[in-house]
């Protein structure tokens, strides 16, 4: 798994520039943009969503609260798992 540091080294730019490119915040020149895009494709880089959520203190999780899991209104998940 490639890191942002490896992408920066491959593209010949700083980690900050790669970060600005990924987050689409701040200015990144056209030449640097093309180099970073090529490096990301070459290294098959995928941003680490867990690391991003730790840094930004935001995540994409959804919580589900059920008042009573034995209530027949809510589906029996054991039956659902058997079908898969």
């Amino acid at each position: 798994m490639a890191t942002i540091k490896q992408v920066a080294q491959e593209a010949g730019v700083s980690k900050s520039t790669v970060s600005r490119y990924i987050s689409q915040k701040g200015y990144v020149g056209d030449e640097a943009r093309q180099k970073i895009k090529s490096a990301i494709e070459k290294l098959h880089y995928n941003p680490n969503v867990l690391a991003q959520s730790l840094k930004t203190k935001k995540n994409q999780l959804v919580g589900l609260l059920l008042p009573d899991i034995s209530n027949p209104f809510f589906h029996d998940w054991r039956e659902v798992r058997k079908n898969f």
Side-chain angles (χ1 to χ4, degrees), residues 2-4 6-13 18 21 32-45:
T3 64
I4 198 168
Q6 292 169 330
V7 172
Q9 287 175 343
E10 180 70 28
V13 297
V18 176
Y21 172 82
R33 188 179 308 277
Q34 291 293 44
K35 288 180 181 179
I36 295 167
K37 183 178 178 183
S38 297
I40 287 173
E41 290 173 358
K42 179 179 177 183
L43 298 173
H44 305 289
Y45 173 76

Side-chain angles (χ1 to χ4, degrees), residues 17 20-21 25-30 33:
T17 305
R20 285 194 308 269
Y21 172 82
K25 293 182 181 178
Y27 176 76
V28 179
D30 293 333
R33 188 179 308 277

Side-chain angles (χ1 to χ4, degrees), residues 30-61:
D30 293 333
E31 184 180 342
R33 188 179 308 277
Q34 291 293 44
K35 288 180 181 179
I36 295 167
K37 183 178 178 183
S38 297
I40 287 173
E41 290 173 358
K42 179 179 177 183
L43 298 173
H44 305 289
Y45 173 76
N46 287 317
N48 187 332
V49 179
L50 180 58
Q52 287 177 342
S53 67
L54 288 172
K55 176 70 176 168
T56 61
K57 298 181 183 171
K58 297 178 183 178
N59 59 42
Q60 300 294 321
L61 298 177

